[in-house]
Amino acid sequence: MSSPASSLTDAVREILARTLPDGAAPADDDAPLRELGLSSLRMVRVVVALREELGTDLPDELLRPETFHSVRTLVSAVEEGGSR
């Protein structure tokens, strides 16, 4: 059985794989997502997917580029401030 943290990480990775160009899911949780093609428009798509698929709304103060730096920073933001 997987832990909630690893399940969340897997869910975020899956959302990113569908959102990044050519399904460019990062091989490393610390890889810069911008280098894999995460643009501001794609960030919005990630936020919408988090809301629709995980029931998670990120608070306004977490809607900044630093939150979307890597899988790790995004998962941390969801754990820290995501709610519905």
Side-chain angles (χ1 to χ4, degrees):
M1 182 175 192
S2 62
S3 71
S6 67
S7 295
L8 177 58
T9 300
D10 291 342
V12 168
R13 284 174 146 294
E14 185 177 312
I15 289 168
L16 289 168
R18 291 193 318 266
T19 306
L20 293 171
D22 302 321
D28 175 1
D29 286 349
D30 293 313
L33 297 175
R34 189 164 290 290
E35 290 178 11
L36 296 173
L38 187 68
S39 63
S40 57
L41 178 58
R42 286 190 167 93
M43 285 181 203
V44 171
R45 291 179 185 160
V46 169
V47 170
V48 170
L50 290 170
R51 179 179 302 128
E52 291 177 353
E53 297 175 33
L54 304 179
T56 299
D57 283 324
L58 293 176
D60 291 344
E61 62 269 11
L62 291 178
L63 297 177
R64 58 183 191 258
E66 296 82 11
T67 297
F68 298 87
H69 173 74
S70 67
V71 170
R72 189 174 317 279
T73 59
L74 186 52
V75 168
S76 177
V78 170
E79 290 174 332
E80 172 188 324
S83 65
R84 187 158 237 202

